[in-house]
Amino acid sequence: MKNIASKLPSEQYEKNFSDLHPPFTQNSAVAEANRCLYCYDSPCMKACPTHIDISTFIKKISTGNLLGSAKTIYESNWVPLTCAKACPVDVLCEGACVYNAKGEKAIEIGRLQRYAIENYFDKGMPALFHKAPKNGKSVGIVGSGPAGLACSAELALLGYEVTIYEANKIPGGLNTWGIAPYKMRREDSLKEVELVKSFGVDLKTEVMIGKTVKVDDLLKKHDAIFLGVGLGESPQLSISGEELSGVVGALDFIEKVKTENWENVHVGKKVAVIGAGNTSIDAATEAKRLGAEQVFIIYRRSDVEMSAYEFEYELAKKDGIVFHFLTSPKRIIGNSFVEGIECLKMKLGEPDIHGRRKPVPILRSEFTIPVDMIIKAIGQETKSSFLSSIPKLTLDDEGCVIVDRTTFQTANPKIFAGGDCINGGKEVVNAAYDGKHAAHGIDKFLSKK
Ligand code: SF4
């Protein structure tokens, strides 16, 4: 990269990446828990994809029963620390809290959940669950992200021999690699991995299924397989100049921010992020926090159509990110290094088959934004070539594995799947739900219940 943003003093990086929502103290947690009305129909619980018994865990915090509170949470969700820190609570549990209808501040469910779970880890993960005796059956789990961890924990407690196969050196999937550090640090994700391992789950890292180990060998070795593989690379922009130095994928960039010393992560002085989803906002705000002077988000539709959540949009604006809506990249300019991006103004035309109005180019509306780094954040593709190599698996038009939505069984009866590889990329909490319920699908299949 030619122009690199000036280095910040190390304490400034710490400040820039500090917790967005600092933890509760004991007094503030109890005070917040005491605000809860313990609604009999708990709309918050219905809005949580894993249906955590929210009013019960909050009640236990108010009475000082913090381990009981953690147990209530774990009964529904095996990655609750990640969910407490990274879930879009405004549109899930907290968005459904009855206080919203009264025009008052919703109960801070995410922060209360974090309080109970951090206390559980601080106490050294005391045993909360009874483990069933070994039943002599084994299950192989592909991927150690939230779906794989949830499935593994549930199966291990049911008495199965469980082995996780993880391609990466460090486990945890997107929880470890893909969540902005001001939302969650890598160490938090690794604590959730350690808890699952404490149930006797064997974790093998740096194992590439299809390369290091064949799928057929896994099918012979285990009584069932669960696929909890995430998504793959960002698709190409397919415009000229994409090969220039300074063009990077959003996930690669975010991974570097999560794994390297912040002062060693390369960031330009002027950065353009292409796309306006939640990952784009993460990449843009991280670039700004690393010291980029100007960061632009370029999106071909308007703010109404963008997929980023409202609170992410607000965060980006607060960080000084400049949005270019109704703007499409036409070509990347530069000679070896990125020097600018030529864009085209768009207008919204007729709705497409999904009802979203299609962006239509405005002729001769080209303009150039001088930038020295471009981050591509236009979504991620499914790992369809890997998935289609697995015997008898069926994929939909988007490359997602087709499963029975109750048992999570695929067209190959020995193989189950959940998380991003069946939904094309949703929240961590959806993957946690899939993994847990797939475990029960596997148990039903193997015990012929
Ligand atoms: Fe408590 Fe709000 Fe849930 Fe009611 S909706 S139980 S007040 S968190």
Short mmCIF file of all heavy atoms in Angstrom, two decimals, residues 106-160:
data_model
loop_
_atom_site.label_atom_id
_atom_site.label_comp_id
_atom_site.label_asym_id
_atom_site.label_seq_id
_atom_site.Cartn_x
_atom_site.Cartn_y
_atom_site.Cartn_z
N ALA A 106 -35.74 0.39 26.93
CA ALA A 106 -35.89 -1.07 27.08
C ALA A 106 -34.90 -1.60 28.12
O ALA A 106 -33.85 -0.99 28.35
CB ALA A 106 -35.63 -1.74 25.74
N ILE A 107 -35.25 -2.72 28.73
CA ILE A 107 -34.30 -3.37 29.65
C ILE A 107 -33.04 -3.74 28.86
O ILE A 107 -33.14 -4.28 27.75
CB ILE A 107 -34.93 -4.65 30.26
CG1 ILE A 107 -36.19 -4.31 31.07
CG2 ILE A 107 -33.92 -5.41 31.12
CD1 ILE A 107 -35.95 -3.52 32.33
N GLU A 108 -31.89 -3.52 29.44
CA GLU A 108 -30.63 -3.82 28.73
C GLU A 108 -30.32 -5.32 28.87
O GLU A 108 -29.43 -5.73 29.63
CB GLU A 108 -29.51 -2.96 29.27
CG GLU A 108 -29.70 -1.48 28.90
CD GLU A 108 -28.44 -0.68 29.17
OE1 GLU A 108 -27.45 -0.89 28.45
OE2 GLU A 108 -28.46 0.14 30.09
N ILE A 109 -31.06 -6.10 28.10
CA ILE A 109 -30.98 -7.56 28.20
C ILE A 109 -29.57 -8.06 27.83
O ILE A 109 -29.01 -8.93 28.50
CB ILE A 109 -32.06 -8.20 27.30
CG1 ILE A 109 -33.45 -7.73 27.74
CG2 ILE A 109 -31.97 -9.74 27.34
CD1 ILE A 109 -34.56 -8.05 26.76
N GLY A 110 -29.02 -7.50 26.76
CA GLY A 110 -27.69 -7.94 26.32
C GLY A 110 -26.64 -7.73 27.40
O GLY A 110 -25.84 -8.62 27.70
N ARG A 111 -26.66 -6.56 28.01
CA ARG A 111 -25.65 -6.28 29.05
C ARG A 111 -25.88 -7.13 30.30
O ARG A 111 -24.93 -7.51 30.98
CB ARG A 111 -25.66 -4.79 29.42
CG ARG A 111 -24.91 -3.93 28.40
CD ARG A 111 -25.00 -2.46 28.77
NE ARG A 111 -24.01 -2.08 29.78
CZ ARG A 111 -24.11 -0.97 30.51
NH1 ARG A 111 -25.14 -0.16 30.35
NH2 ARG A 111 -23.17 -0.67 31.38
N LEU A 112 -27.15 -7.43 30.61
CA LEU A 112 -27.42 -8.29 31.78
C LEU A 112 -26.95 -9.72 31.50
O LEU A 112 -26.38 -10.38 32.37
CB LEU A 112 -28.92 -8.27 32.11
CG LEU A 112 -29.43 -6.99 32.78
CD1 LEU A 112 -30.94 -6.97 32.87
CD2 LEU A 112 -28.82 -6.83 34.19
N GLN A 113 -27.17 -10.17 30.26
CA GLN A 113 -26.71 -11.52 29.90
C GLN A 113 -25.18 -11.58 29.99
O GLN A 113 -24.60 -12.52 30.51
CB GLN A 113 -27.17 -11.85 28.47
CG GLN A 113 -26.77 -13.23 28.01
CD GLN A 113 -27.55 -13.65 26.77
OE1 GLN A 113 -28.76 -13.63 26.78
NE2 GLN A 113 -26.85 -14.04 25.71
N ARG A 114 -24.54 -10.53 29.50
CA ARG A 114 -23.08 -10.45 29.59
C ARG A 114 -22.63 -10.51 31.05
O ARG A 114 -21.67 -11.21 31.39
CB ARG A 114 -22.60 -9.14 28.94
CG ARG A 114 -21.16 -8.86 29.18
CD ARG A 114 -20.72 -7.55 28.57
NE ARG A 114 -19.34 -7.29 28.93
CZ ARG A 114 -18.63 -6.29 28.45
NH1 ARG A 114 -19.17 -5.44 27.61
NH2 ARG A 114 -17.38 -6.11 28.82
N TYR A 115 -23.35 -9.80 31.92
CA TYR A 115 -22.98 -9.76 33.34
C TYR A 115 -23.03 -11.17 33.93
O TYR A 115 -22.09 -11.60 34.62
CB TYR A 115 -23.95 -8.82 34.07
CG TYR A 115 -23.69 -8.71 35.54
CD1 TYR A 115 -22.58 -8.04 36.03
CD2 TYR A 115 -24.57 -9.29 36.46
CE1 TYR A 115 -22.33 -7.95 37.39
CE2 TYR A 115 -24.34 -9.20 37.82
CZ TYR A 115 -23.21 -8.53 38.28
OH TYR A 115 -22.96 -8.44 39.62
N ALA A 116 -24.11 -11.91 33.66
CA ALA A 116 -24.26 -13.26 34.22
C ALA A 116 -23.19 -14.20 33.67
O ALA A 116 -22.60 -15.00 34.40
CB ALA A 116 -25.65 -13.81 33.91
N ILE A 117 -22.92 -14.11 32.37
CA ILE A 117 -21.98 -15.06 31.74
C ILE A 117 -20.53 -14.71 32.10
O ILE A 117 -19.71 -15.61 32.33
CB ILE A 117 -22.20 -15.12 30.21
CG1 ILE A 117 -23.63 -15.61 29.91
CG2 ILE A 117 -21.17 -16.01 29.53
CD1 ILE A 117 -23.99 -16.97 30.46
N GLU A 118 -20.20 -13.43 32.16
CA GLU A 118 -18.82 -13.08 32.55
C GLU A 118 -18.55 -13.52 33.98
O GLU A 118 -17.44 -13.98 34.29
CB GLU A 118 -18.57 -11.57 32.36
CG GLU A 118 -18.39 -11.24 30.88
CD GLU A 118 -17.99 -9.82 30.59
OE1 GLU A 118 -18.26 -8.94 31.43
OE2 GLU A 118 -17.43 -9.58 29.50
N ASN A 119 -19.54 -13.42 34.83
CA ASN A 119 -19.40 -13.90 36.21
C ASN A 119 -19.14 -15.41 36.20
O ASN A 119 -18.28 -15.92 36.94
CB ASN A 119 -20.67 -13.61 37.01
CG ASN A 119 -20.65 -14.29 38.37
OD1 ASN A 119 -19.97 -13.85 39.28
ND2 ASN A 119 -21.37 -15.41 38.51
N TYR A 120 -19.85 -16.13 35.31
CA TYR A 120 -19.68 -17.58 35.21
C TYR A 120 -18.23 -17.93 34.81
O TYR A 120 -17.60 -18.82 35.40
CB TYR A 120 -20.69 -18.14 34.18
CG TYR A 120 -20.52 -19.61 33.91
CD1 TYR A 120 -20.77 -20.55 34.91
CD2 TYR A 120 -20.07 -20.06 32.67
CE1 TYR A 120 -20.59 -21.91 34.66
CE2 TYR A 120 -19.90 -21.40 32.42
CZ TYR A 120 -20.16 -22.32 33.41
OH TYR A 120 -19.97 -23.65 33.18
N PHE A 121 -17.70 -17.22 33.83
CA PHE A 121 -16.31 -17.48 33.43
C PHE A 121 -15.33 -17.04 34.52
O PHE A 121 -14.34 -17.72 34.78
CB PHE A 121 -15.99 -16.80 32.09
CG PHE A 121 -16.60 -17.52 30.90
CD1 PHE A 121 -17.56 -16.93 30.12
CD2 PHE A 121 -16.21 -18.82 30.60
CE1 PHE A 121 -18.13 -17.61 29.04
CE2 PHE A 121 -16.77 -19.51 29.53
CZ PHE A 121 -17.72 -18.89 28.75
N ASP A 122 -15.63 -15.91 35.16
CA ASP A 122 -14.75 -15.45 36.25
C ASP A 122 -14.69 -16.47 37.38
O ASP A 122 -13.69 -16.59 38.08
CB ASP A 122 -15.24 -14.11 36.82
CG ASP A 122 -15.02 -12.96 35.84
OD1 ASP A 122 -14.29 -13.16 34.86
OD2 ASP A 122 -15.62 -11.88 36.05
N LYS A 123 -15.79 -17.19 37.56
CA LYS A 123 -15.84 -18.20 38.64
C LYS A 123 -15.17 -19.51 38.21
O LYS A 123 -15.21 -20.50 38.95
CB LYS A 123 -17.29 -18.48 39.04
CG LYS A 123 -18.01 -17.31 39.69
CD LYS A 123 -17.76 -17.30 41.20
CE LYS A 123 -18.38 -16.14 41.94
NZ LYS A 123 -18.21 -14.81 41.44
N GLY A 124 -14.64 -19.57 36.98
CA GLY A 124 -13.92 -20.77 36.52
C GLY A 124 -14.82 -21.84 35.93
O GLY A 124 -14.49 -23.03 35.99
N MET A 125 -15.95 -21.46 35.36
CA MET A 125 -16.86 -22.37 34.67
C MET A 125 -17.29 -23.58 35.52
O MET A 125 -17.07 -24.73 35.14
CB MET A 125 -16.24 -22.89 33.36
CG MET A 125 -15.80 -21.84 32.38
SD MET A 125 -15.34 -22.51 30.77
CE MET A 125 -14.04 -23.64 31.13
N PRO A 126 -17.85 -23.35 36.71
CA PRO A 126 -18.31 -24.50 37.51
C PRO A 126 -19.36 -25.31 36.77
O PRO A 126 -20.11 -24.77 35.95
CB PRO A 126 -18.92 -23.84 38.76
CG PRO A 126 -19.19 -22.42 38.38
CD PRO A 126 -18.21 -22.05 37.32
N ALA A 127 -19.40 -26.65 37.06
CA ALA A 127 -20.33 -27.52 36.33
C ALA A 127 -21.77 -27.12 36.63
O ALA A 127 -22.17 -26.99 37.80
CB ALA A 127 -20.08 -28.97 36.75
N LEU A 128 -22.55 -26.93 35.59
CA LEU A 128 -23.96 -26.56 35.76
C LEU A 128 -24.89 -27.66 35.26
O LEU A 128 -26.07 -27.65 35.55
CB LEU A 128 -24.27 -25.27 34.97
CG LEU A 128 -23.57 -23.97 35.37
CD1 LEU A 128 -23.92 -22.86 34.39
CD2 LEU A 128 -23.96 -23.57 36.78
N PHE A 129 -24.31 -28.58 34.46
CA PHE A 129 -25.15 -29.57 33.80
C PHE A 129 -24.66 -30.98 34.07
O PHE A 129 -23.46 -31.22 34.19
CB PHE A 129 -25.16 -29.32 32.27
CG PHE A 129 -25.84 -28.02 31.92
CD1 PHE A 129 -25.10 -26.86 31.76
CD2 PHE A 129 -27.21 -27.96 31.78
CE1 PHE A 129 -25.71 -25.66 31.45
CE2 PHE A 129 -27.85 -26.76 31.48
CZ PHE A 129 -27.09 -25.61 31.31
N HIS A 130 -25.62 -31.89 34.12
CA HIS A 130 -25.30 -33.30 34.29
C HIS A 130 -25.00 -33.89 32.91
O HIS A 130 -25.73 -33.64 31.96
CB HIS A 130 -26.50 -34.01 34.93
CG HIS A 130 -26.38 -35.48 34.95
ND1 HIS A 130 -25.52 -36.12 35.83
CD2 HIS A 130 -26.97 -36.44 34.21
CE1 HIS A 130 -25.60 -37.41 35.60
NE2 HIS A 130 -26.48 -37.64 34.64
N LYS A 131 -23.91 -34.67 32.82
CA LYS A 131 -23.56 -35.27 31.54
C LYS A 131 -24.06 -36.71 31.51
O LYS A 131 -23.76 -37.48 32.44
CB LYS A 131 -22.04 -35.21 31.40
CG LYS A 131 -21.56 -35.29 29.99
CD LYS A 131 -20.07 -35.05 29.90
CE LYS A 131 -19.57 -35.73 28.65
NZ LYS A 131 -18.21 -36.07 28.64
N ALA A 132 -24.79 -37.09 30.47
CA ALA A 132 -25.31 -38.46 30.36
C ALA A 132 -24.15 -39.44 30.15
O ALA A 132 -23.10 -39.06 29.60
CB ALA A 132 -26.27 -38.56 29.19
N PRO A 133 -24.29 -40.73 30.57
CA PRO A 133 -23.21 -41.69 30.33
C PRO A 133 -22.98 -41.88 28.83
O PRO A 133 -23.89 -41.66 28.04
CB PRO A 133 -23.74 -43.00 30.95
CG PRO A 133 -25.00 -42.65 31.66
CD PRO A 133 -25.45 -41.30 31.24
N LYS A 134 -21.78 -42.28 28.46
CA LYS A 134 -21.43 -42.48 27.03
C LYS A 134 -22.39 -43.49 26.41
O LYS A 134 -22.71 -44.52 27.01
CB LYS A 134 -20.00 -43.02 26.93
CG LYS A 134 -18.96 -41.98 27.26
CD LYS A 134 -18.37 -41.41 25.98
CE LYS A 134 -17.34 -40.35 26.24
NZ LYS A 134 -17.79 -38.98 26.12
N ASN A 135 -22.85 -43.19 25.20
CA ASN A 135 -23.79 -44.10 24.53
C ASN A 135 -23.13 -44.91 23.40
O ASN A 135 -23.80 -45.63 22.66
CB ASN A 135 -25.02 -43.34 24.02
CG ASN A 135 -24.64 -42.27 23.00
OD1 ASN A 135 -23.59 -42.33 22.37
ND2 ASN A 135 -25.50 -41.28 22.83
N GLY A 136 -21.80 -44.74 23.24
CA GLY A 136 -21.08 -45.54 22.26
C GLY A 136 -21.17 -45.02 20.83
O GLY A 136 -20.61 -45.61 19.91
N LYS A 137 -21.83 -43.89 20.63
CA LYS A 137 -21.95 -43.35 19.25
C LYS A 137 -21.08 -42.09 19.12
O LYS A 137 -20.87 -41.37 20.10
CB LYS A 137 -23.40 -42.98 18.97
CG LYS A 137 -24.37 -44.18 19.10
CD LYS A 137 -25.19 -44.34 17.84
CE LYS A 137 -25.85 -45.68 17.73
NZ LYS A 137 -26.91 -45.90 18.67
N SER A 138 -20.62 -41.87 17.90
CA SER A 138 -19.78 -40.69 17.71
C SER A 138 -20.28 -39.82 16.58
O SER A 138 -20.86 -40.30 15.60
CB SER A 138 -18.32 -41.10 17.49
OG SER A 138 -18.08 -41.33 16.13
N VAL A 139 -20.05 -38.51 16.75
CA VAL A 139 -20.49 -37.53 15.74
C VAL A 139 -19.30 -36.63 15.41
O VAL A 139 -18.58 -36.17 16.30
CB VAL A 139 -21.68 -36.68 16.27
CG1 VAL A 139 -22.12 -35.67 15.21
CG2 VAL A 139 -22.85 -37.56 16.68
N GLY A 140 -19.10 -36.40 14.11
CA GLY A 140 -18.06 -35.47 13.66
C GLY A 140 -18.71 -34.13 13.33
O GLY A 140 -19.75 -34.08 12.68
N ILE A 141 -18.10 -33.06 13.82
CA ILE A 141 -18.64 -31.71 13.61
C ILE A 141 -17.65 -30.96 12.72
O ILE A 141 -16.47 -30.85 13.07
CB ILE A 141 -18.77 -30.95 14.96
CG1 ILE A 141 -19.53 -31.78 16.00
CG2 ILE A 141 -19.35 -29.55 14.76
CD1 ILE A 141 -21.01 -31.87 15.86
N VAL A 142 -18.11 -30.45 11.61
CA VAL A 142 -17.22 -29.71 10.71
C VAL A 142 -17.43 -28.21 10.95
O VAL A 142 -18.48 -27.66 10.64
CB VAL A 142 -17.50 -30.07 9.24
CG1 VAL A 142 -16.50 -29.35 8.33
CG2 VAL A 142 -17.42 -31.57 9.03
N GLY A 143 -16.41 -27.59 11.55
CA GLY A 143 -16.48 -26.15 11.84
C GLY A 143 -16.70 -25.89 13.31
O GLY A 143 -17.54 -26.54 13.95
N SER A 144 -15.92 -24.95 13.88
CA SER A 144 -16.05 -24.64 15.31
C SER A 144 -16.65 -23.26 15.55
O SER A 144 -16.40 -22.63 16.57
CB SER A 144 -14.69 -24.75 16.00
OG SER A 144 -13.84 -23.73 15.51
N GLY A 145 -17.46 -22.79 14.59
CA GLY A 145 -18.20 -21.54 14.80
C GLY A 145 -19.39 -21.81 15.71
O GLY A 145 -19.50 -22.90 16.31
N PRO A 146 -20.28 -20.84 15.85
CA PRO A 146 -21.39 -20.98 16.80
C PRO A 146 -22.27 -22.21 16.56
O PRO A 146 -22.68 -22.86 17.54
CB PRO A 146 -22.18 -19.68 16.63
CG PRO A 146 -21.68 -19.05 15.37
CD PRO A 146 -20.30 -19.54 15.16
N ALA A 147 -22.56 -22.55 15.32
CA ALA A 147 -23.42 -23.72 15.05
C ALA A 147 -22.71 -24.99 15.50
O ALA A 147 -23.30 -25.84 16.19
CB ALA A 147 -23.77 -23.79 13.57
N GLY A 148 -21.44 -25.12 15.13
CA GLY A 148 -20.67 -26.31 15.50
C GLY A 148 -20.50 -26.44 17.00
O GLY A 148 -20.63 -27.54 17.57
N LEU A 149 -20.24 -25.32 17.68
CA LEU A 149 -20.06 -25.36 19.14
C LEU A 149 -21.37 -25.76 19.83
O LEU A 149 -21.37 -26.59 20.75
CB LEU A 149 -19.60 -24.00 19.67
CG LEU A 149 -18.18 -23.57 19.31
CD1 LEU A 149 -17.90 -22.18 19.85
CD2 LEU A 149 -17.14 -24.57 19.85
N ALA A 150 -22.47 -25.18 19.39
CA ALA A 150 -23.77 -25.47 20.03
C ALA A 150 -24.13 -26.94 19.84
O ALA A 150 -24.58 -27.61 20.77
CB ALA A 150 -24.85 -24.57 19.43
N CYS A 151 -23.91 -27.44 18.64
CA CYS A 151 -24.24 -28.84 18.36
C CYS A 151 -23.35 -29.76 19.20
O CYS A 151 -23.81 -30.74 19.79
CB CYS A 151 -24.05 -29.10 16.86
SG CYS A 151 -24.73 -30.68 16.32
N SER A 152 -22.07 -29.43 19.30
CA SER A 152 -21.10 -30.24 20.04
C SER A 152 -21.46 -30.29 21.53
O SER A 152 -21.45 -31.37 22.14
CB SER A 152 -19.69 -29.66 19.92
OG SER A 152 -19.31 -29.59 18.59
N ALA A 153 -21.76 -29.14 22.11
CA ALA A 153 -22.08 -29.08 23.55
C ALA A 153 -23.29 -29.95 23.86
O ALA A 153 -23.28 -30.76 24.79
CB ALA A 153 -22.35 -27.63 23.96
N GLU A 154 -24.31 -29.79 23.05
CA GLU A 154 -25.56 -30.51 23.30
C GLU A 154 -25.35 -32.02 23.16
O GLU A 154 -25.81 -32.80 23.99
CB GLU A 154 -26.60 -30.00 22.28
CG GLU A 154 -28.02 -30.20 22.66
CD GLU A 154 -28.53 -29.25 23.74
OE1 GLU A 154 -27.83 -28.28 24.10
OE2 GLU A 154 -29.63 -29.52 24.24
N LEU A 155 -24.62 -32.42 22.11
CA LEU A 155 -24.39 -33.86 21.89
C LEU A 155 -23.52 -34.47 22.98
O LEU A 155 -23.75 -35.59 23.44
CB LEU A 155 -23.73 -34.09 20.52
CG LEU A 155 -24.64 -33.92 19.30
CD1 LEU A 155 -23.81 -33.92 18.02
CD2 LEU A 155 -25.71 -35.01 19.22
N ALA A 156 -22.49 -33.72 23.40
CA ALA A 156 -21.59 -34.23 24.44
C ALA A 156 -22.38 -34.49 25.72
O ALA A 156 -22.18 -35.52 26.39
CB ALA A 156 -20.45 -33.24 24.69
N LEU A 157 -23.28 -33.58 26.06
CA LEU A 157 -24.07 -33.77 27.29
C LEU A 157 -25.06 -34.92 27.14
O LEU A 157 -25.48 -35.52 28.12
CB LEU A 157 -24.82 -32.47 27.65
CG LEU A 157 -23.94 -31.30 28.10
CD1 LEU A 157 -24.79 -30.10 28.46
CD2 LEU A 157 -23.05 -31.68 29.29
N LEU A 158 -25.42 -35.24 25.90
CA LEU A 158 -26.34 -36.38 25.66
C LEU A 158 -25.60 -37.72 25.65
O LEU A 158 -26.21 -38.77 25.47
CB LEU A 158 -27.06 -36.19 24.32
CG LEU A 158 -28.17 -35.12 24.28
CD1 LEU A 158 -28.57 -34.81 22.83
CD2 LEU A 158 -29.39 -35.57 25.07
N GLY A 159 -24.27 -37.68 25.79
CA GLY A 159 -23.49 -38.92 25.89
C GLY A 159 -22.76 -39.33 24.62
O GLY A 159 -22.21 -40.42 24.53
N TYR A 160 -22.74 -38.45 23.62
CA TYR A 160 -22.03 -38.79 22.37
C TYR A 160 -20.54 -38.46 22.47
O TYR A 160 -20.15 -37.54 23.20
CB TYR A 160 -22.64 -38.00 21.18
CG TYR A 160 -24.01 -38.51 20.81
CD1 TYR A 160 -25.15 -38.00 21.45
CD2 TYR A 160 -24.18 -39.50 19.86
CE1 TYR A 160 -26.41 -38.47 21.14
CE2 TYR A 160 -25.44 -39.98 19.54
CZ TYR A 160 -26.56 -39.46 20.18
OH TYR A 160 -27.80 -39.95 19.88
#
